[in-house]
């Protein structure tokens, strides 16, 4: 009965405007949030497109460096200045071996006959993009090795043809053992090695840091080798700063890595703008509802005052009001989630599919939580507003 | 319930002279249950008196106390509680819900207090001669009929003091007397009292106290 008294002029322009606004705003907000989640989980090959922004930097080789006039090494000071940059969140120089290394096949393991000079690098585990058992100690049966994927390509599609040996699959390469020739000044040894993975990101032959430290102690001359390649992790949307840094330090960065940062920056900005616009629409519609309830209450001022005069409490009136509004908000929230899913499945996903982009479905739970959060915000804001308005009416 | 007035004078009545036995600018108290008549001609402030005690008007000097509590210090929530359990009213302008039916207007109040059984409410409608109007929308009733609905509504709650502002102004003497009998019966059941304002008529009843303005 309270509802009948209070909501006599239920549907009006404000109500339709606020309802449509809330529906559009909330749908757009959920959609942009969901797309952000989907895009973050997007993988290109083995490399995460929207994972942490890890980039290998090195200095450009110029004609002066070829003549030995300037060095591509990073000095201690340069490393420190990198660490101090705001947009760089992590810095890790590549470690190198301090002695000569060569690799040859183990006869009978299926690899063609070869012997090649090589080098080893190591990087901290947190920068590895290959999931593998990356443990090594002096009792280990073999040294785990990660090769750049591009190396396998050169071998199979270039060397194999011109040198006349058989192509080697990644599986065979990982199954076969390798002889690792460690040629220090005072000590020479052959150890067993095995390829345990291929890296998309790092164009270097990688071994575990524990092995590299041990090998440098055992075979090296004790020289401290300055790094010439450094792994850095940068913040999202910092393409501009990265470009400045390249200019400043005359850096060479793989084009792929830059493209990824560029795409991330652009997509981030676009979804961000869309999200902000959706948030604004949602907040405006919230204002619309606040106005709507004020209007309804001012139209029902006599009724509200009379209810208070015959003994109805402020809370019972507020409760009737908020219950009715919550029902409307609830329908809007559920409709927004439904429309969002519909647009995503029938619209966006289909379009992406047709264009050959396969997004890994991410959970819709966070988006539903966001929608419920907006619902709660609407209910609380209107509760406070209605309570204040009813109290003001009661004072007269 | 004790009603106490200390030197109360409504702001709009400040310029007028008041008799020495007027409730205005006087100190007195009434202990209810008691049946009181406030008799005065138009414009002397009968409605002002009722609305001031009921907490709707605050434009006065002096103090009004209910059970020794200054009513100007009561919060809205305290007023609501008081109006639900101790203080009932028949407004001069009735303050019914015009869009609701007679029955809905009555049930709205009784739902809140659970004070009367539905059978008794129906009986009251019969006593006052409007049982046939039960399902009629209030705004379509005559003023006399609306007045009777407002009287019944005021009896659908427990009260220690019932304020009535010219409740019979649109009723003939016979119907007024019937209504007053019902009011007295319910007042006694509640062990409460009332203040009834009137333009001069006693409606054939012997009051325990009379006030003048």
């Amino acid at each position: 009965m309270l509802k009948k008294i209070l909501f006599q002029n239920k549907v009006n322009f404000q109500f339709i405007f606020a309802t449509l606004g809330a529906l559009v705003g909330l749908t757009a907000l959920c959609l942009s949030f969901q797309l952000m989640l989907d895009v973050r989980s997007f993988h290109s090959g083995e490399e995460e497109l929207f994972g942490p922004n890890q980039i290998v930097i090195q200095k450009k080789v110029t004609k002066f460096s070829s003549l030995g006039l300037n060095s591509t090494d990073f000095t201690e000071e340069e490393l420190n200045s990198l660490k101090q940059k705001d947009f760089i969140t992590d810095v890790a120089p590549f470690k190198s071996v301090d002695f000569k290394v060569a690799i040859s096949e183990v006869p009978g393991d299926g690899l063609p006959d070869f012997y090649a000079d090589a080098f080893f690098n190591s990087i901290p585990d947190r920068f590895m993009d290959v999931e593998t058992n990356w443990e090594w100690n002096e009792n280990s049966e073999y040294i785990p090795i990660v090769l750049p994927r591009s190396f396998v390509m050169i071998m199979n599609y270039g060397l194999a043809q011109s040198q006349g040996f058989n192509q080697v699959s990644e599986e065979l390469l990982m199954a076969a053992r390798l002889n690792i020739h460690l040629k220090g000044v005072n000590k020479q040894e052959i150890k067993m090695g095995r390829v345990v993975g291929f890296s998309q990101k790092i164009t270097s032959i990688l071994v575990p840091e524990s092995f590299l430290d041990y090998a440098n102690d055992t075979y090296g001359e004790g020289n401290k080798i300055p790094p010439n390649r450094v792994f850095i992790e940068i913040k999202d949307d910092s393409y501009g700063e990265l470009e400045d840094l390249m200019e400043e330090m005359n850096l060479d960065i793989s084009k792929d890595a830059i493209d990824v940062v560029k795409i991330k920056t652009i997509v981030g900005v676009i979804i961000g703008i869309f999200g902000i616009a959706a948030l604004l629409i949602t907040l405006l519609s919230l204002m619309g509802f606040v106005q709507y309830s004020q209007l309804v209450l001012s139209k029902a001022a006599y009724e509200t005052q009379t209810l208070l005069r015959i003994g109805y409490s402020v809370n019972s009136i507020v409760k009737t009001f908020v219950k009715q509004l919550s029902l409307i908000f609830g329908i809007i929230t559920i409709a927004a989630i439904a429309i969002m899913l519909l647009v995503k499945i029938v619209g966006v996903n289909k379009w992406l599919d047709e264009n050959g982009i396969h997004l890994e479905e991410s959970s819709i739970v966070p988006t539903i939580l966001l929608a419920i959060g907006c619902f709660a915000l609407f209910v609380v804001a209107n509760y406070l507003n209605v309570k204040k308005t009813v109290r003001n009416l009661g004072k007269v | 319930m004790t009603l106490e007035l200390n030197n109360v004078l409504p702001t709009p009545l400040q310029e007028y002279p008041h008799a020495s036995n007027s409730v205005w600018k006087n100190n007195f108290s009434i202990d209810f249950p008691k049946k009181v008549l406030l008799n005065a001609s138009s414009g002397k402030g009968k409605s002002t008196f009722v609305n001031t005690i009921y907490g709707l008007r605050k434009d006065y000097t002096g103090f009004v106390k209910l059970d020794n509590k200054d009513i100007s210090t009561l919060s809205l929530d305290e007023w609501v509680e008081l109006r639900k359990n101790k203080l009932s009213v028949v407004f001069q302008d009735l303050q019914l819900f015009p869009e609701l039916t007679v029955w809905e207007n009555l049930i709205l109040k009784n739902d809140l207090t659970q004070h009367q059984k539905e059978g008794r409410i129906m009986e009251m409608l019969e006593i006052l001669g409007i049982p046939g109007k039960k399902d009629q929308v209030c705004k379509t009733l005559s003023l006399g009929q609306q007045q009777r609905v407002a009287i019944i509504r005021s009896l659908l709650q427990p009260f220690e003091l019932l304020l009535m502002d010219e409740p019979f102004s649109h009723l003939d003497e016979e119907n007024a007397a019937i209504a007053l009998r019902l009011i007295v019966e319910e007042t006694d059941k509640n062990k409460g009292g009332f203040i009834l304002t009137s333009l001069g008529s006693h409606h054939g009843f012997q009051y325990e106290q009379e006030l003048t303005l």
Side-chain angles (χ1 to χ4, degrees):
Chain A
M1 192 122 49
L2 284 187
K3 202 176 106 189
K4 187 177 166 186
I5 297 168
L6 294 171
F7 284 90
Q8 281 169 21
N9 305 294
K10 196 172 153 187
V11 175
N12 57 19
F13 173 72
Q14 251 86 4
F15 177 76
I16 295 169
F17 171 78
T19 306
L20 281 180
L23 189 62
V24 171
L26 201 56
T27 306
L29 192 65
C30 289
L31 195 62
S32 55
F33 188 71
Q34 184 66 41
L35 283 180
M36 187 78 99
L37 292 182
D38 284 353
V39 165
R40 274 193 186 279
S41 69
F42 176 53
H43 287 59
S44 152
E46 275 184 5
E47 195 181 2
E48 280 183 34
L49 180 54
F50 285 86
N53 304 298
Q54 294 173 340
I55 295 168
V56 180
I57 58 173
Q58 61 233 341
K59 290 186 179 174
K60 270 185 192 154
V61 175
T62 61
K63 50 191 169 200
F64 296 112
S65 25
S66 304
L67 293 170
L69 289 177
N70 74 354
S71 159
T72 59
D73 292 342
F74 286 93
T75 64
E76 204 63 41
E77 284 156 19
E78 284 170 328
L79 289 175
N80 281 334
S81 88
L82 283 178
K83 281 177 193 160
Q84 276 157 15
K85 300 269 184 212
D86 274 343
F87 73 100
I88 298 178
T89 51
D90 200 353
V91 175
F94 280 56
K95 282 187 183 173
S96 309
V97 282
D98 173 27
F99 52 89
K100 284 186 176 161
V101 178
I103 302 177
S104 68
E105 94 289 357
V106 173
D109 271 12
L111 290 180
D113 199 11
F114 79 99
Y115 179 94
D117 286 330
F119 65 97
F120 286 150
N121 278 147
S122 81
I123 54 170
D125 289 354
R126 61 182 186 279
F127 283 99
M128 290 291 289
D129 63 337
V130 183
E131 277 177 34
T132 177
N133 183 14
W134 202 230
E135 297 289 319
W136 183 88
N137 60 45
E138 283 179 52
N139 300 321
S140 293
E141 199 183 324
Y142 57 87
I143 306 158
I145 297 169
V146 165
L147 293 178
R149 178 151 282 134
S150 51
F151 171 79
V152 184
M153 305 282 266
I154 291 170
M155 207 165 74
N156 279 334
Y157 300 104
L159 281 175
Q161 210 170 23
S162 60
Q163 305 288 317
F165 60 75
N166 294 331
Q167 290 178 320
V168 183
S169 70
E170 285 185 4
E171 289 74 25
L172 175 59
L173 210 48
M174 284 171 77
R177 291 166 298 170
L178 296 168
N179 280 323
I180 311 292
H181 305 260
L182 304 163
K183 299 188 274 190
V185 181
N186 305 316
K187 192 176 178 186
Q188 301 208 351
E189 209 172 342
I190 297 175
K191 278 188 175 282
M192 204 61 81
R194 179 169 269 168
V195 177
V196 294
F198 302 91
S199 170
Q200 191 85 7
K201 195 156 61 175
I202 306 155
T203 49
S204 186
I205 303 171
L206 296 175
V207 291
E209 215 174 344
S210 50
F211 170 73
L212 198 101
D213 290 341
Y214 161 83
N216 273 346
D217 285 347
T218 313
Y219 311 101
E221 291 177 71
N223 298 326
K224 198 168 186 312
I225 304 171
N228 54 18
R229 311 177 87 192
V230 178
F231 233 124
I232 58 169
E233 190 175 296
I234 62 172
K235 286 182 183 161
D236 277 338
D237 309 332
S238 50
Y239 173 65
E241 285 100 321
L242 182 66
E243 223 178 18
D244 291 344
L245 183 74
M246 285 170 68
E247 193 82 21
E248 184 190 323
M249 295 181 82
N250 195 27
L251 294 178
D252 200 9
I253 301 175
S254 98
K255 195 176 169 296
D256 280 356
I258 294 176
D259 282 349
V260 168
V261 177
K262 233 190 222 171
I263 291 170
K264 282 176 81 161
T265 307
I266 293 167
V267 171
V269 167
I270 290 172
I271 296 183
I273 289 173
F274 189 62
I276 288 169
L279 194 67
L280 279 178
I281 297 173
T282 310
L283 289 178
L284 273 177
S285 75
L286 176 60
M287 299 282 288
F289 269 111
V290 167
Q291 270 202 330
Y292 164 70
S293 26
Q294 264 165 0
L295 197 77
V296 170
L297 272 173
S298 72
K299 276 191 175 172
Y302 166 78
E303 284 79 3
T304 308
Q305 278 163 355
T306 306
L307 283 172
L308 292 170
R309 284 172 189 186
I310 65 169
Y312 272 89
S313 65
V314 174
N315 270 350
S316 63
I317 297 170
V318 173
K319 220 167 103 185
T320 307
F321 231 90
V322 172
K323 221 163 122 187
Q324 188 67 14
L325 288 174
S326 301
L327 185 72
I328 297 166
F329 296 154
I331 293 171
I332 291 173
T333 308
I334 291 168
I337 293 171
I339 296 173
M340 180 274 287
L341 286 176
L342 200 73
V343 170
K344 185 171 126 64
I345 293 164
V346 179
V348 179
N349 284 12
K350 204 169 156 224
W351 181 83
L352 288 174
D353 252 6
E354 281 168 9
N355 286 282
I357 301 167
H358 304 287
L359 286 188
E360 217 174 284
E361 291 285 312
S362 54
S363 164
I364 62 162
V365 174
T367 310
I368 289 176
L369 287 179
L370 175 77
I372 291 173
C374 287
F375 169 77
L377 176 74
F378 268 57
V379 171
V380 170
N382 276 283
Y383 169 77
L384 295 174
N385 169 51
V386 168
K387 193 169 176 175
K388 197 178 148 200
T389 314
V390 171
R391 282 206 170 274
N392 283 338
L393 284 172
K395 278 182 197 157
V396 181
Chain B
M1 177 180 273
T2 308
L3 168 68
E4 191 182 342
L5 271 77
N6 297 132
N7 217 12
V8 174
L9 185 60
T11 319
L13 299 176
Q14 262 165 0
E15 315 248 309
Y16 299 93
H18 299 287
S20 57
N21 61 348
S22 166
V23 297
W24 303 133
K25 286 206 96 173
N26 255 325
N27 292 317
F28 68 96
S29 72
I30 308 170
D31 285 317
F32 295 92
K34 210 174 228 179
K35 299 180 182 70
V36 179
L37 178 72
L38 176 62
N39 216 337
S41 51
S42 293
K44 285 279 179 69
K46 290 191 297 295
S47 295
T48 308
F49 178 77
V50 168
N51 288 338
T52 302
I53 297 173
Y54 201 65
L56 303 180
R57 292 193 71 147
K58 296 176 176 79
D59 52 342
Y60 62 89
T61 54
F63 297 97
V64 179
K65 291 178 185 169
L66 282 174
D67 285 336
N68 277 322
K69 189 153 190 195
D70 181 356
I71 62 166
S72 67
T73 63
L74 293 175
S75 70
L76 180 59
D77 293 332
E78 285 172 313
W79 271 117
V80 165
E81 205 50 39
L82 204 59
R83 290 165 189 170
K84 189 176 153 191
N85 299 314
K86 290 186 173 178
L87 201 56
S88 192
V89 71
V90 179
F91 295 107
Q92 193 180 35
D93 61 354
L94 309 177
Q95 304 215 357
L96 297 169
F97 294 98
E99 306 294 334
L100 297 187
T101 66
V102 169
W103 190 250
E104 284 172 334
N105 262 290
L106 298 176
I107 288 303
L108 184 69
K109 177 81 192 199
N110 204 53
D111 275 352
L112 181 71
T113 60
Q114 302 292 334
H115 188 58
Q116 303 277 14
K117 294 206 165 59
E118 290 199 359
R120 175 61 180 159
I121 303 173
M122 203 54 225
E123 208 177 294
M124 290 187 199
L125 285 170
E126 279 159 14
I127 293 170
L128 296 193
I130 49 167
K133 304 292 177 189
K134 181 176 164 252
D135 296 317
Q136 202 167 319
V137 176
C138 262
K139 65 178 176 188
T140 64
L141 297 178
S142 74
L143 273 174
Q145 289 162 336
Q146 290 191 32
Q147 216 157 27
R148 283 174 269 187
V149 177
I151 289 168
I152 298 176
R153 185 175 73 177
S154 73
L155 302 176
L156 302 182
Q157 69 163 85
F159 61 84
E160 293 175 24
L161 172 57
L162 169 61
L163 298 163
M164 291 176 283
D165 193 3
E166 295 187 42
F168 311 132
S169 56
H170 296 280
L171 299 182
D172 56 58
E173 273 301 321
E174 192 191 336
N175 273 311
I178 295 172
L180 188 53
R181 271 204 298 281
L182 176 67
I183 292 165
V184 169
E185 186 189 340
E186 286 298 323
T187 306
D188 290 341
K189 266 195 220 164
N190 277 300
K191 297 187 177 66
F194 62 68
I195 298 178
L196 188 150
T197 75
S198 169
L199 270 171
S201 173
H202 282 59
H203 309 295
F205 188 77
Q206 202 61 47
Y207 300 92
E208 292 160 77
Q209 189 173 342
E210 279 199 34
L211 301 172
T212 47
L213 292 178

